[in-house]
Amino acid sequence: MWDESTLSMLLQGIGETLYMVLVSTLFAYIIGLPVGILLFTSAKDGIRPHASLYKVLDVIVNLTRSIPFLILMIAIFPFTRMVTGTTIGSTATIVPLTLSAAPFIARLVESSLKEIDIGVIEAAQSMGASDFQIIWKVLLPESKPSLIVGCAIATTTILGYSAMAGVVGGGGLGTIAINYGLYRWQGEMMLIATILLVVIVQVLQGIGMRAAGLSDKRKN
């Protein structure tokens, strides 16, 4: 079982999984971070309340978060093919992973910003800081530990989604687990792929928690 081709396949699976997860997380934050900030700032008690904007964003985030990943992945096959030229493989899987994770990340960001002491924001406003300065110099720095914890949660969630993508040839360890464990009845290979996924989750979660602890001024 542990011949050179098997090890090569598992290493490729690990590489594809990390590629999908990290790139998808990056793209999802490019979309989700500003949406989360807009949700916080436009809320009723935000620094720039805007009921209509908040309602629209709130509905969009809730609707998109409600769609199960596999259904979303299949539903946007035409869009994925238009962007990447294919619907299978790790690069194609980045598209649905990004679109599925972005609203989840927006909520995580909004939740992190809500943890900030309102007194800190009011102090910045009393000193004449602009909205951009409050966001850039107060909101994001003050919520950094919580944002990093949210990033760790988002990354491990995206990793779970990437494994689901293996059902339709999404690449990575998920595809190995499905192809060998389900279609070829090789339970050992499915178990190994699953263990590797668990290890990757633990490593990414550990890195995130460690980074959050180091950035928390209350603990340093």
Side-chain angles (χ1 to χ4, degrees):
M1 178 179 173
W2 291 101
D3 55 22
E4 187 175 341
S5 63
T6 302
L7 290 173
S8 177
M9 178 185 67
L10 289 172
L11 287 174
Q12 182 180 348
I14 293 172
E16 289 180 353
T17 297
L18 291 174
Y19 164 65
M20 286 189 290
V21 171
L22 297 179
V23 174
S24 300
T25 302
L26 173 63
F27 286 152
Y29 262 90
I30 290 174
I31 300 171
L33 180 62
V35 173
I37 292 173
L38 278 175
L39 280 167
F40 175 78
T41 56
S42 63
K44 185 178 180 181
D45 54 351
I47 61 174
R48 190 63 62 181
H50 194 299
S52 300
L53 175 61
Y54 181 84
K55 190 65 179 176
V56 169
L57 291 175
D58 187 54
V59 170
I60 292 173
V61 168
N62 283 343
L63 286 177
T64 48
R65 279 191 63 197
S66 302
I67 304 173
F69 174 68
L70 276 179
I71 294 175
L72 173 71
M73 184 178 187
I74 295 170
I76 66 167
F77 268 171
F79 177 70
T80 302
R81 186 179 291 108
M82 183 181 72
V83 174
T84 65
T86 181
T87 59
I88 60 173
S90 52
T91 297
T93 306
I94 289 172
V95 177
L97 283 176
T98 299
L99 295 180
S100 182
F104 175 59
I105 287 170
R107 282 295 183 214
L108 288 176
V109 171
E110 181 192 17
S111 176
S112 295
L113 298 180
K114 283 182 176 177
E115 295 176 6
I116 300 173
D117 185 351
I118 190 66
V120 177
I121 300 173
E122 290 174 346
Q125 290 174 320
S126 67
M127 288 187 288
S130 66
D131 291 345
F132 179 78
Q133 288 174 321
I134 292 174
I135 293 169
W136 189 250
K137 296 184 177 180
V138 178
L139 296 181
L140 294 180
E142 288 293 324
S143 61
K144 188 190 295 182
S146 180
L147 287 172
I148 294 174
V149 171
C151 183
I153 294 171
T155 304
T156 52
T157 301
I158 293 172
L159 180 63
Y161 289 166
S162 76
M164 289 186 222
V167 175
V168 289
L173 292 169
T175 294
I176 293 174
I178 295 295
N179 286 348
Y180 286 85
L182 180 62
Y183 299 137
R184 302 185 187 181
W185 294 97
Q186 295 184 10
E188 289 183 356
M189 188 60 73
M190 174 180 257
L191 178 61
I192 291 168
T194 304
I195 290 173
L196 288 173
L197 285 168
V198 171
V199 170
I200 293 174
V201 167
Q202 295 304 314
V203 170
L204 293 177
Q205 188 77 27
I207 292 173
M209 294 299 110
R210 177 66 175 164
L214 291 174
S215 67
D216 193 340
K217 293 180 290 187
R218 295 166 298 185
K219 298 180 180 177
N220 298 316

